[in-house]
Amino acid sequence: MLRLVSVLVCLGTLEAAVVAVPHVQLDVPHVPAPVQPVIGAVLEQRKAAEPAPVSLPLTKVEADGQRYFLGEMSVGTPGQAMTVAVDITFPLSYVPSINCSDQFCTDHKQYDSAASSTYEADGTPFELSLGQNVSGVISKDAISVAGATVSGQAFGEATAVWNSYALRAPNDGVLALGFGFSVSQEGATTIMGSMIEQGLIGQWLAGIWLGRGDAGGELTLGGLNDDRRSGELAWAPVTFNEEHQSWMASVESLAVGETSICSENCFVTALSTTPYFFMSMDAAKAVNDALGGFDIGAPGVAGLDCSTLYTLPTLEIEAAGRTLEMSPLEYTYIYTLGGGVQMCLSGFVGLPDFDDNVTVLGSLFMQKFYTAYDMDNMRVGFADSA
Ligand SMILES: *[C@@H]1O[C@H](CO)[C@@H](O)[C@H](O)[C@H]1NC(C)=O
Ligand SMILES: *[C@@H]1O[C@H](CO)[C@@H](O)[C@H](O)[C@H]1NC(C)=O
Ligand SMILES: *[C@@H]1O[C@H](CO)[C@@H](O)[C@H](O)[C@H]1NC(C)=O
């Protein structure tokens, strides 16, 4: 019985893992224009007196072996409430359209442009990266988030969501904090860019704090919340690359005990939309074998014997001259099943065709380290969470 439950839980996880692939693609086809000149233009528009940062509380939701940290935003006038995940891999925020008849849309909240007095049509088509099956058109409307209202914001009105995994996702849409200032080749501005242009925040700097246990989290825009971290931030540079414009930061190395995950030309990206560390199949297999991981019938995923966790080695990430350490209890995804039975799933998940040099740091990582995304200085910062 326990075995069956375990497999079901893990299959949910596998599907989550598989579907997360497009979220971590290096290519961001929607931001092909060089970002540098745009950064300069936007920075020049900064007001001398910078407005204070704004913060959005996030709620932790666990479902099907996934862990979500979700916030609320509203679209239109009067505001239509939407529950959103914070996605740093994509520049265009999106919500389901009233015109979408797919089951995902009818099961979630749907934006109705006819009910908003501030709606402006745009009509440029958008589509998420390959395999996610989310598409629609760009529209413009007021978006309120963290107590700030951005007017005329370009966002995606999804008219087709044909994604088996998304069906179970509790969020309606996505608040996009992808790298850059432009949501598309056509040049509409991202929500962060608009907030700066409209004087709602002073700089392209965002911080994410994810609490441990049942605590939720907090997204801060236009600055960081120093009360949510202890100690200095270690800043890892984001290398500007025309093809790979993303929050991919260079770090020195990643290893679990004696087993290396990456030792040269290593890149990491911190995502709150998955709990796991995603890496190549080979890297995950090497680590999970060393941890005594066992096959649970899902490629790239390993179970761990919970009673051995205390004996397992530490994860060490060398970033910007600092060592970020995580204990086995912190890097393992631990489920509590009915009757208080615990199941342990290795946090290290292998994905097919995944770049050897790239590691995704999911919410297990972010529940230990406060993460800052600094566009003005093209860097990502990590500090101990407070
Ligand atoms: C939704 O349908 C209405 C009525 O057909 C149409 O006017 C509007 O442009 C559609 N919106 C989108 C995003 O497809
Ligand atoms: C996207 O659609 C294709 C074709 O219908 C399907 O095979 C694939 O599983 C879908 N992707 C997701 C994530 O559901
Ligand atoms: C990945 O690392 C190898 C050496 O370990 C290097 O040759 C290659 O250029 C790196 N790839 C990227 C994308 O940096």
Side-chain angles (χ1 to χ4, degrees), residues 96 100 102-108 161 163 166-169 171-173:
C100 172
D102 292 332
Q103 194 192 337
F104 172 83
C105 297
T106 55
D107 282 356
H108 286 79
V161 181
N163 178 323
L167 266 182
R168 298 197 309 251
N171 56 305
D172 305 311

Side-chain angles (χ1 to χ4, degrees), residues 244 264-265 267 355 357:
H244 298 165
E264 240 186 300
N265 296 309
F267 297 92
D355 195 321
N357 308 34

Side-chain angles (χ1 to χ4, degrees), residues 15 18-20 22 130-134 161-167:
E15 199 173 342
V18 168
V19 169
L130 214 62
Q132 289 186 79
N133 306 343
V134 176
V161 181
W162 191 248
N163 178 323
S164 56
Y165 169 64
L167 266 182

Side-chain angles (χ1 to χ4, degrees), residues 25 38 48 100-101 121 124 131 144 168 191 212 238 257 272 327 345 351:
Q25 276 183 348
V38 189
C100 172
S101 52
T124 307
S144 295
R168 298 197 309 251
I191 195 156
R212 282 168 237 183
V238 170
S272 66
S327 72
L345 196 65
L351 294 177

